[in-house]
Amino acid sequence: MPNHSNADAPRSRAPWWFTLAGQLLQSWVRIRRDPAEPATLLQAGVPVCYAIERDGFSDALILQRACREAGLPSPMQPLAGTRRRRSVFALARRDGWIFGRIRSRTPNEPLGQLVHSLEGFPERDIQIVPVSIYVGRAPNRDTGWFRVLFSENWVMVGSFRRLLALLLNGRDTVVQFSAPVSLRKVLDESGDIAPERFARKIARVLRTHFRRIRTAVVGPDLSHRRTVVDSVLNAEPVRAAIAASAAKEKISHAKAWRKAHKMLLEIAADYSHPVVRSASFVLSSFWNKLYDGIAMHHFDKARAVAPGHEVIYVPCHRSHADYLLLSYQLHVSGVVVPHIAAGVNLNLPVIGPILRRGGAFFMRRSFKGNALYSVVFNEYLAQLIDRGVPMEYFIEGGRSRTGRLLAPRAGMLVMTIRAFLRAPRRPVLFQPVYIGYEKLMEGNAYAGELSGKPKEKESLLGLLRGLKVLRQRYGHVALNFGEPIELNPLLDATGTDWRAASGDPDARPEWLNDVVDQVAERIQVNINRAADVNPINLLALVLLATPKHAMAESDLLAQLELSKALLEELPYSDRVTLTPMNPAGIIAYGEQMGWIQRVKHPLGDVLTVSGEQAVLLSYFRNNVLHLTATAAWVACCFLNNRRMARATVVRLGTLIYPFIQSELFLPWDSDGFAAQLEATLDFFIRRGLLESRSDGRTVERGPGQEDSAFQLKVIARGLLQAFERYYITLAALAKHGPHTITGAELETTCTLTAQRLGLLNELSAPEFFDKALFRGFIQKLREQRVVWTDEGGKLDYDSALEGMVRDARVILSRDVRHSILKITQGAGEKEPPAGGDAAEQAA
């Protein structure tokens, strides 16, 4: 391998007592290097000098061993071209054995010598390699409870405490090598500067570097919660709000202050490194009981861009386990646990204090009517961002009961961006995370809520009753890190001097709402672009597309193979991950997990899903429905048509796209979607599901009894219910006519219609009559100016609406359209005007 050692340096062995100590420590310390092969970072032939954060005998022993095992130059040998006896220096040290005072080394001592050694020798260079050493960073199942008390933190401990940390946690030692700094290059770029001043500058840069790395690995240097609380209460906006509250409620200033103080104690986290490490120890066993494995994808990309940023993790919200899973995986991967915004309903006895010490801060569901609480919470959030504390929150507001991403709620985003505008010191980075399960602990509760049962309120007794989930296995979990979103470029794109708003806590520029909407939309899009497709997702996509949720094994194998080929040949995103199982393995796994049952038959086995399981399985179909949206549209075009012009498929697709995009958070613009449609048509033609006619201008499917027609029908049904919901809305509007129904009344009419249609057709998809989906579609109609509200609060609509009703005949069969029109007529409070009959005839 290349020689990175100091070629001109006289060889010097470490003292015998140093070597002996290293041998004694060998059995107690297990080192993990990051990166695993740090030699690749160095430039061959250039002397190497290591910079460590703090001086210490144990750190020198660990560094020496890590360098030896990695094939790097020894830090104990003299540094070539200098008078230094060792090739290592520390920025700070602690005097004394048990008790001692931290003493920062003057930069003139080590760095000054290095700078002077280059004077008069322009051909010389020294590469300074910053090395961070952490003892006791990643506990595992073998970690004892007592060890967490001696974990790595921000306190510079004495030699005795460091010795205990090594004895207890030495097997979890991390040595992180950073990219080397060319001292000659930096010196040349600094121009004519005094050596002493230059040395101080390099020392500041190194301290900043070590703080940033320690913040990313251990977490920010948090003071006690009392200090944060005092900072919030002393902030000018909070003091003004306290005075305003005292005046409004006619109470004393002291009483108003106590009220604000109580609110803040209810909100604030009380982060504790020992508690986090203890929780990690407990969760390791907990996850092993629940799950067969937890996988993280694209985490290396997320970790690479995080340093220097205020990182906001924004995962999708599927389960109460989301909080713990992400925090646990970040911790064991060497990244600090974020502070998590949790609903105050989780601030339960016993559980609440533990969550609070694990980084949870609690917020009420609504701030309305409580100006003091709003100001206090905003100021607390601003303090966290100003201190560089990573955070995590769910912009969906609550857990998805259907498996789809919910429409974002922008409250936390607004507060985050306004807090950054106040003090834009550290750029904000939003990190989307997709969380994929194979079975949910809350599955039965979600199904009950969607069928009309009230949501069960969180309580300690309910939590204890819920411990029965430990008796089951929940398969595998995937955490996929999506493409991060930087805030500064979006602010720059506003075309305004957004930095002018800095320092003003009340600043709310006109362009702020647009930026918030862009961030929210991109977060949801990037979460979907990082989806994980597991075996259960694929089984749900296929089996729930059949009327009886049953399929012959041979047909199921073929459909699974087609689905995998579609996702592989037309990748939705480079961050989507797909199960490596083959179709036979997927079926076997589904049986093992209890999702599907096999019915033996002499003519071939049938795989089926029971009615109750089908409702639960719809959740996992909805997780990945967006991945097949393009293919589903193309397939839908051939449900009721043997042949269609290729241009018509694309034209109608681009017309309906804004509504599909809004519901499924798809990533393309109109032209991009058209290109996806063209590529999908080509895929179906290659697979023999469609045939190209008339020099490619027309596309045709085979007869209905052929396998190709059956496979197209299965793909189409993934999106068919969405089109039925759209048609329900359009038909209800057309039936009632303009100026006769409000938006709220239309939502109710559509929901009742969908519920009745579901009962008549035995649909096992509770989201079919989800009011939120109808509300989202109506809102998109408003944005497209197809529908608007008149002066009397009633809905009026453009003539384009009736054209959309007519276009529905391309997708929906006459029987389905007739059923919907019949039900919508019965759902109204009065008979529709004549215009509704015209709409039915046109359809």
Side-chain angles (χ1 to χ4, degrees), residues 684-696:
F684 284 152
I685 291 169
R686 286 197 308 272
R687 298 285 302 198
L689 275 67
L690 295 173
E691 294 183 11
S692 182
R693 304 290 188 188
S694 304
D695 297 328

Side-chain angles (χ1 to χ4, degrees), residues 25-26 29-31 61-70:
L25 205 63
Q26 182 97 8
V29 175
R30 183 181 300 158
I31 294 175
L61 290 172
I62 292 170
L63 177 62
Q64 165 76 351
R65 179 177 157 194
C67 291
R68 183 180 72 250
E69 292 176 352

Side-chain angles (χ1 to χ4, degrees), residues 533-596:
V533 186
N534 61 48
I536 310 306
N537 297 138
L538 290 172
L539 287 170
L541 276 172
V542 174
L543 286 172
L544 296 187
T546 59
K548 299 295 185 180
H549 312 316
M551 192 178 283
E553 185 172 19
S554 58
D555 290 336
L556 181 55
L557 288 168
Q559 198 70 36
L560 289 171
E561 188 276 329
L562 176 64
S563 299
K564 285 198 67 174
L566 176 67
L567 295 172
E568 289 170 343
E569 295 184 33
L570 300 178
Y572 187 88
S573 161
D574 61 353
R575 298 208 182 205
V576 169
T577 51
L578 178 63
T579 175
M581 287 187 186
N582 60 27
I586 291 172
I587 293 174
Y589 189 71
E591 291 182 87
Q592 176 191 329
M593 290 287 292
W595 280 116
I596 60 176

